Amino acid sequence: MSKTNNFDAQSTFCVLCGRTDDCTEKYGEKRTYVEYDLTVHYYCLLMSSGIWQRGEEDEGVDGFLITDIRKEVKRAAKLKCNICKKKGASIGCVAPKCKRSYHFPCGLQRECIFQFMEDFRSYCWEHRPVQEFTDKELRGASQCTICLDLVEHLPVYTVLRSPCCKNAWFHRECLQYQALSAGLFFFRCTVCNNKDKFQKEMLRMGIHIPERDASWELEENAYQDLLHCYQHCDVKRCLCRKGRDYNEPDSKWEIKRCQYCGSRGTHLACSSMRSWEENWECMECRSIFAKSGKYSKQKKRSLGTSEKTNGTPCILEEPSPKFPRQSSGSPRNFLLQSPKIMCQNLSPCSHRELPASDRVTMSLSPMMSNRNWSLRHRRLGEQRREVCNILKELKVQVKTKPTRLNINAENIWSSALKGFRQRIFSPTNTIEVSFSNCKNRSKTNTSAASKHHFFQLLMLHLQNSSLFEGSSGKNLSLDFQALEENLYFEAGKMIAVSLVHGGPSPGFFSKTLFNCLVYGPENVKPALEDVADDDVAQTIKKIKYANSLSSLQSTLQDCCEFLAAAGCLRPVTALCDKKVLVNDILMSYVIKRVTLPLESFRQGLKTLGVLEKMQMHPDVFSSIMCHKPERLSAKTVCDLFTIHSSSDVNKVEGADFWMGYLQDVEMALKRMLNFNVPPVKNSTGEPVWKVLIYDRFGQDIISPLLSVKELRDMGITLHLLLHSDRDAIPDVPAVYFVMPTEENIDRMCQDLRNQLYESYYLNFISAISRSKLEDIANAAIGANAVTQVAKVFDQYLNFITLEDDMFVLCNQNKELVSYRAINRPDITDTEMETIMDTIVDSLFCFFVTLGAIPIIRCSRGTAAEMVAVKLDKKLRENLRDARNSLFTGDTLGAGQFSFQRPLLVLVDRNIDLATPLHHTWTYQALVHDVLDFHLNRVNLEESAGTESTPAGARPKKKNKKSYDLSTSDKFWQKHKGSPFPEVAESVQQELESYRAQEDEVKRLKSIMGIEGEDEGAISMLSDNTAKLTSAVSSLPELLEKKRLIDLHTNVATAVLEHIKSRKLDVYFEYEEKIMSKSTLDKSLLDMISDPDAGTPEDKMRLFLIYYISSAQAPSEIDLEQYKKALMDAGCNLAPLSYIKQWKAFTKMASAPTSYGNTTPKPLGLFSRVMNTGSQFVMEGVKNLVLKQQNLPVTRILDNLMEMKSNPETDDYRYFDPKMLRGSDSSVPRNKNPFQEAIVFVVGGGNYIEYQNLIDYIKGKQGKHVLYGCSELFNATQFIKQLSQLGQK
């Protein structure tokens, strides 16, 4: 649409606000369209409530169609502004029930807030968002860091505070001007440089941040002054008669700058330099490097194929940087200029060096060529895999916000250039491609294939464009029109965007062009092959191969015009001068001629940090920039089944990501069920229906995380066990989630042969071996089902997630890693190695999912140390494997530390055997102790009762009911760590609250049924209509609340029955006193002998705790009395036999485990809420209040996490898998306290320790802890294992 340029804008008024003001900073650009008789402020249009952008960017006014604008003007004409009282108020407050309308300028005047983001909301002066301050912050004044004037700390509209810096205050007007100038890419906090958090808060508070580059970046020749080069001769004695500032290019009076600092210079003649190509260092830089001692020795390289001069073997030797290079007439410099051997003089202090293959090039013998070609081909493959990992790191910058590119495939360059230059384009947005042609309207295709095809066409066009010249390896050409239109910059930008967004690489760069981009043109020497012009190449060849001085001079005379234009015309007095001349011509034609295009191209490649990565990893990037991808070969067909790691879904976004690993595991499972493609949120389409096939291991992993309803929402119509009888469903895809065992692989191969499903998505819980993968491949080939095997993935999910902060390794075959298995006296070394490998494999999967490399601490001489050594080795090997590393997002440099890395504390179960036997008093631990609680599901048996029959009364069959106690249960999440009496009271309170709401609904229904014309009744009816509507709308929530109340009433009732029948409150209090060394109210022998106090198991648990916690073992006489009492009570003494052996072996008598010195405080009977009206009859049960005391595991964590010196943990071993070499040290290299930690118990854990850790970490602000164990057992299961150990 055309827009007038010479129209009197001041005389026209905006159709929306009615003002003639033209203030871009306040109202946006004022635009007048003569053909439509339309003038509008851009901000007035953006913020109007009844209009949306329904067109493309080039349609109407930035996507606002003209017809829509006119409709909005008509709508606004009916609304009166609440500020100026005039018609045309097009903007309304979005706050509920607020009916204020106003013009945009009036809203600014009245201090309304306009949010230039998302839905472009507007808030009136009463409902506008405000920043929250404390009383201390609203004192005094500080300096606005933009205008440097004072700004008072007041909660007013004109003052804003930075969300990331407590003491940074700004004037609103200053921030707005700064945002308009800096744009979206450069607007950030002026104090701490934070961008994301700062921009989010400023947008919320009504600061407009335009989506464009900064104003200083858009100004032409803005950096012209920075292109100034130092031109002054600084040597002690300058020989130039025209002064030190005289500079004549391509002569002996040309000024050469210091190769290191660039701030000192010399004439070539003043430093006896024969060529501009020779490097020069100033005195200051020489002295610095001399003191550092970096160049005390000269580097030597012996040639593989000896070069001889005058019959003497030659050694290639680099000159010392302290002295200038020798003249071109010397034998050594002759070697340096030899066509067989080219040595580049790089800056010795540079962090980037040319590859050895570029510095020294030698011809290969025919015998070695085939083998070296094979090695080179293999090396290219390895380098391409490495560069993929690097580009994945850069892809983290890409946001989910889409940018649509409308591409005409017939005119790929013009449409691509238009898309990349559009105002809303950002390289960090997700690119969506819509192909179109001239005849039909565009057809949207946002798939990855469409985007890849676009970049493929774009790279092909660039390769054949006028921007590059050459046959195979191309260099930049000199195109003045392209330079004027800044096309070299756009080409570099397009290549960078293609690489990061998953497009193809160019693959056509010459080695010279690549080295110029990476090392700088001053460090590169071009070759004759880089000259694309045949005439120029022939001229250089004539000079290079002239065999006499006369023929050389004749050739130079014939091409004197060309030499003069290149700045290389000079007298030649000897035949050897031709080498310097040829190098000068090549440098001038290939590099100096395209200096400006090269610099512009480099700037474009800096997009998304691509050039920086190229300079850091030149070897790997040359494989994709200078070489085309290999074609499909027989070898690649053999590697048809390639394992993909799903660990990329676990990359961290945000500092606290690793703590949300539960959501991480859920996302990994949902991604797997969606064919390993991230599920789209708020998708309205039907899911793809599929079948889920799992084994027992996969079932245990999925069941605590995903309900049947969630599986159905993911499109899972059937979920079946792998080894069950399954019918063929040939038109439905199947997702497998199994362990890679021989038995499972055989059954999967059988499914392939039987053609059970349409396609197969194979997901393995842990890594599958190559041999088993080949078995699947052979089965697929034999069944002609190769194309049906869609994907093969290693999911690395070989652990079970039970809580946000709790995991356990396995449930199936858990006896293989149980406490009994590890501590068997007859265990062999092979069996122990197998157990340790199983634990380490699961822990490795856990950290792959977590996406973090931990610092490992463990005690010496225990199973935990064996796990630590093996885990450190496995992590270390994976980190060193650059091709297959699963931790590519981490910093892999040796010796580099990130203090945000988590601490892994590995402890052995033997450090504390009393806690697993302890009677507990918290809700979750009680449920696990006394009920059948397994994988977050509790199974209850209903009371039996009796039923009458003709033969008389007989007991009813017990019905079992199952309840899920998951993270979605709010009551469970809130009270699972609370003492049981508090839980009982909370259930009762929730029940009373529900009944009150239910009674209110019934009362309102009764009122709505009133008949007659009674005015009071009608008034009451209108008053209660809104209440009834609210009550009806909350009915689903009320029903869910009722379901949870019934659930926890049943669970708590079942727990209470055990407490009362077994006197668990008495046992808990008594054991607490034993462990805290407090005075006992009743003798232990009396407790054991009491027939009404608990079961035999309860009494054995009590005595074992006493035996473990005692500083001295009881005498033989006392021990025999205890044994007799235990046997009379019906106890099995086998656990005691093992504990006696364990205590003697660990010498616990001299160093008993400390459990603190606090005891639970009894508060008598329950409060009044627990009376006759309660669902729980708590008569006789003590209301014990717990006091926080750290168990041994928690105490160990506190010492290691806070870096405390304590004899208990000072000898713990220290492992850092990122270190180049492991050590046997106990001294931590990181002295700072840890913020995150994982505690893992080898030999089994329990909910008592888990809850103790959670209670401990609640008092540590900003810190987090996860609890894991090899198996999760309750006291009954642990007693059984101790009994089995005691019988041997």
Side-chain angles (χ1 to χ4, degrees), residues 969-1099:
D969 187 338
K970 295 180 180 179
F971 186 92
W972 175 253
Q973 290 302 308
K974 182 178 180 181
H975 296 287
K976 64 184 179 182
S978 302
F980 181 75
E982 291 183 15
V983 176
E985 288 192 26
S986 298
V987 171
Q988 183 65 28
Q989 290 171 2
E990 291 287 335
L991 181 61
E992 291 176 359
S993 173
Y994 166 76
R995 287 173 176 170
Q997 290 177 291
E998 188 180 42
D999 292 339
E1000 178 66 11
V1001 173
K1002 291 179 180 178
R1003 186 183 68 82
L1004 292 173
K1005 285 182 178 180
S1006 174
I1007 293 173
M1008 295 296 289
I1010 295 176
E1011 299 178 358
E1013 299 292 334
D1014 182 75
E1015 292 184 1
I1018 294 175
S1019 175
M1020 188 180 299
L1021 177 65
S1022 61
D1023 290 340
N1024 288 282
T1025 300
K1027 294 182 181 178
L1028 182 62
T1029 303
S1030 175
V1032 172
S1033 63
S1034 63
L1035 192 57
E1037 182 181 350
L1038 202 61
L1039 293 174
E1040 175 63 15
K1041 186 175 182 180
K1042 178 63 167 62
R1043 185 187 71 83
L1044 293 178
I1045 291 173
D1046 292 340
L1047 186 160
H1048 288 284
T1049 299
N1050 293 336
V1051 172
T1053 302
V1055 171
L1056 181 60
E1057 288 176 2
H1058 283 273
I1059 293 174
K1060 295 172 68 175
S1061 64
R1062 296 163 55 183
K1063 297 186 178 180
L1064 297 183
D1065 52 337
V1066 177
Y1067 275 92
F1068 168 72
E1069 185 181 15
Y1070 199 93
E1071 290 168 0
E1072 286 285 310
K1073 291 179 179 180
I1074 292 176
M1075 296 168 72
S1076 61
K1077 307 296 188 295
S1078 302
T1079 304
L1080 302 177
D1081 300 330
K1082 186 178 182 181
S1083 71
L1084 180 61
L1085 202 58
D1086 291 341
M1087 281 287 296
I1088 297 173
S1089 303
D1090 187 356
D1092 298 326
T1095 63
E1097 181 183 289
D1098 293 328
K1099 296 176 180 181

Side-chain angles (χ1 to χ4, degrees), residues 529-570:
E529 293 78 14
D530 294 316
V531 179
D533 191 301
D534 292 337
D535 295 335
V536 176
Q538 288 299 325
T539 300
I540 298 175
K541 285 180 181 179
K542 288 180 181 179
I543 299 173
K544 182 177 181 179
Y545 298 116
N547 52 14
S548 64
L549 180 61
S550 59
S551 62
L552 176 60
Q553 291 175 338
S554 175
T555 302
L556 295 179
Q557 188 174 1
D558 293 341
C559 59
C560 62
E561 292 183 3
F562 166 74
L563 294 175
C568 300
L569 186 61
R570 65 189 67 176

Side-chain angles (χ1 to χ4, degrees), residues 221-233:
N221 300 322
Y223 300 97
Q224 191 66 32
D225 294 341
L226 299 180
L227 300 178
H228 173 73
C229 295
Y230 186 82
Q231 302 290 347
H232 186 78
C233 181

Side-chain angles (χ1 to χ4, degrees), residues 85 131 179 188 283 475 536 674 789 879 981 1030 1075 1198 1228:
K85 307 304 180 182
Q131 293 183 309
R188 57 195 69 198
M283 291 300 297
N475 291 302
V536 176
N674 200 44
V789 181
L879 286 172
S1030 175
M1075 296 168 72
D1198 181 60

Side-chain angles (χ1 to χ4, degrees), residues 1146-1170:
T1146 56
K1147 298 180 180 179
M1148 289 297 292
S1150 59
T1153 304
S1154 173
Y1155 295 89
N1157 55 4
T1158 59
T1159 56
K1161 182 180 179 182
L1163 295 182
L1165 299 182
F1166 282 98
S1167 58
R1168 294 178 182 176
V1169 98
M1170 294 298 170

Side-chain angles (χ1 to χ4, degrees), residues 1168-1282:
R1168 294 178 182 176
V1169 98
M1170 294 298 170
N1171 51 27
T1172 54
S1174 170
Q1175 293 288 312
F1176 305 96
V1177 181
M1178 306 291 290
E1179 183 179 357
V1181 179
K1182 294 183 179 182
N1183 185 9
L1184 302 175
V1185 178
L1186 299 179
K1187 289 189 177 181
Q1188 177 62 31
Q1189 58 182 21
N1190 290 341
L1191 296 175
V1193 169
T1194 306
R1195 193 167 58 249
I1196 291 171
L1197 172 70
D1198 181 60
N1199 292 337
L1200 297 176
M1201 198 173 185
E1202 299 295 339
M1203 305 304 292
K1204 296 178 181 178
S1205 178
N1206 191 295
E1208 191 177 17
T1209 55
D1210 285 348
D1211 196 41
Y1212 269 49
R1213 290 191 65 179
Y1214 180 98
F1215 296 88
D1216 185 358
K1218 284 191 177 182
M1219 294 294 292
L1220 191 59
R1221 291 194 180 100
S1223 67
D1224 194 34
S1225 172
S1226 300
V1227 180
R1229 293 163 178 79
N1230 173 21
K1231 300 296 184 181
N1232 295 325
F1234 289 89
Q1235 297 300 312
E1236 299 92 12
I1238 302 106
V1239 177
F1240 185 83
V1241 184
V1242 180
N1246 52 81
Y1247 281 110
I1248 304 174
E1249 282 177 341
Y1250 162 68
Q1251 192 58 53
N1252 192 253
L1253 284 169
I1254 298 305
D1255 292 339
Y1256 158 79
I1257 212 67
K1258 285 179 181 178
K1260 305 289 183 180
Q1261 187 174 6
K1263 299 197 174 190
H1264 309 280
V1265 66
L1266 297 180
Y1267 179 78
C1269 50
S1270 53
E1271 66 164 333
L1272 187 67
F1273 48 55
N1274 58 20
T1276 301
Q1277 295 162 340
F1278 189 48
I1279 281 279
K1280 182 178 179 181
Q1281 294 190 39
L1282 295 180

